[in-house]
Amino acid sequence: MNAAKRHEIFTRFKAANPHPTTELEYTTPFELLIAVILSAQATDKSVNLATRKLFSLANTPEKMIALSEARLISLIKSIGLYRTKAKNILATCQLLIQHHHSQVPRTRVELEKLPGVGRKTANVILNTAFGEPTIAVDTHIFRVANRTGIAPGKNVRVVEDKLMKRVPIEFRHDAHHWLILHGRYVCMARKPACSCCLINDLCEYEHKNLDNNPVVAMNS
């Protein structure tokens, strides 16, 4: 795919959704951090259902630790891997208190030292909480980048590196959100809604599904 096509793709994404953001519910960087840790192998909808109650009780590292592991587990047990996630959250809160004055660090190196935080999670925090032009590659973005030809790669790191090089700088901050929403609501894994896709004439996927799909719109 050439640069002109990529520029037009993101121009259309921006026109359709000028201010994209995460579908996780949060009000502070700390809440976003906890929500993203919980979101591994879980849907944003299931995480939001759990965090509405959780954050009403504990929205700081100190309050989270005060809950106790058993209470935290009871609040997040509807989410997959909840026991491991509870341990990681409490360990992360301890580190935030001990080394970061209870604040979420603003560097990748420090973020990745937190239990339950890998490169993808760090990218989400840096982008969504702190405005950095990072791109967190999840399964949706990996699929869209490969299927469309925007940034094909054999693994998520290759795709991330290609996206960081190929997405025009003017679109880079929001690219993560546009791509994930496109993959979630339009370019689905099993049956992409190609006939109502706003970039189907630019996409280089060889097996487009051009049946009469229902109209699908990315959430704004």
Side-chain angles (χ1 to χ4, degrees):
M1 179 176 289
N2 61 41
K5 271 190 177 182
R6 289 193 294 270
H7 192 279
E8 177 61 19
I9 284 171
F10 287 100
T11 297
R12 293 185 191 180
F13 282 156
K14 183 173 183 177
N17 187 359
H19 305 291
T21 189
T22 179
E23 293 187 316
L24 292 170
E25 297 174 1
Y26 74 99
T27 59
T28 66
F30 174 73
E31 289 184 357
L32 178 62
L33 173 62
I34 300 305
V36 177
I37 291 173
L38 290 172
S39 71
Q41 299 182 45
T43 65
D44 287 359
K45 182 178 179 180
S46 68
V47 172
N48 290 337
L49 287 172
T51 56
R52 286 168 195 163
K53 179 66 178 293
L54 175 62
F55 293 156
S56 71
L57 299 172
N59 59 357
T60 67
E62 291 82 1
K63 290 179 181 179
M64 196 69 71
I65 289 172
L67 281 178
S68 80
E69 185 173 335
R71 179 64 170 137
L72 176 56
I73 285 175
S74 73
L75 291 165
I76 66 170
K77 64 183 180 181
S78 60
I79 299 173
L81 306 174
Y82 62 90
R83 293 187 186 278
T84 298
K85 291 175 181 179
K87 291 182 182 296
N88 285 338
I89 286 170
L90 293 176
T92 285
C93 288
Q94 289 283 8
L95 290 177
L96 292 178
I97 294 168
Q98 293 171 2
H99 301 295
H100 301 288
H101 306 287
S102 298
Q103 300 299 307
V104 177
R106 301 176 69 110
T107 68
R108 181 188 306 282
V109 171
E110 293 301 321
L111 282 167
E112 291 187 14
K113 290 179 182 179
L114 301 174
V117 176
R119 185 177 182 87
K120 183 180 74 174
T121 299
N123 279 336
V124 172
I125 301 302
L126 291 170
N127 178 281
T128 306
F130 302 129
E132 299 289 335
T134 57
I135 299 176
V137 179
D138 70 347
T139 56
H140 295 299
I141 295 177
F142 183 78
R143 179 177 66 257
V144 171
N146 275 283
R147 182 182 277 170
T148 61
I150 293 173
K154 293 184 178 181
N155 59 62
V156 294
R157 184 58 192 272
V158 171
V159 169
E160 179 189 335
D161 290 344
K162 284 188 176 181
L163 285 170
M164 290 298 293
K165 290 179 180 178
R166 296 181 179 181
V167 175
I169 186 65
E170 66 200 271
F171 303 117
R172 202 166 295 164
H173 175 264
D174 292 323
H176 160 81
H177 299 297
W178 285 319
L179 291 172
I180 194 171
L181 290 170
H182 191 66
R184 186 174 290 166
Y185 296 110
V186 181
C187 195
M188 288 87 72
R190 294 185 179 180
K191 191 176 181 182
C194 300
S195 66
C196 58
C197 170
L198 79 170
I199 62 165
N200 66 6
D201 59 318
L202 302 169
C203 168
E204 297 182 353
Y205 185 44
E206 295 180 356
H207 307 290
K208 289 187 175 74
N209 171 31
L210 295 173
D211 296 334
N212 292 322
N213 302 117
V215 175
V216 181
M218 291 194 301
N219 286 8
S220 57

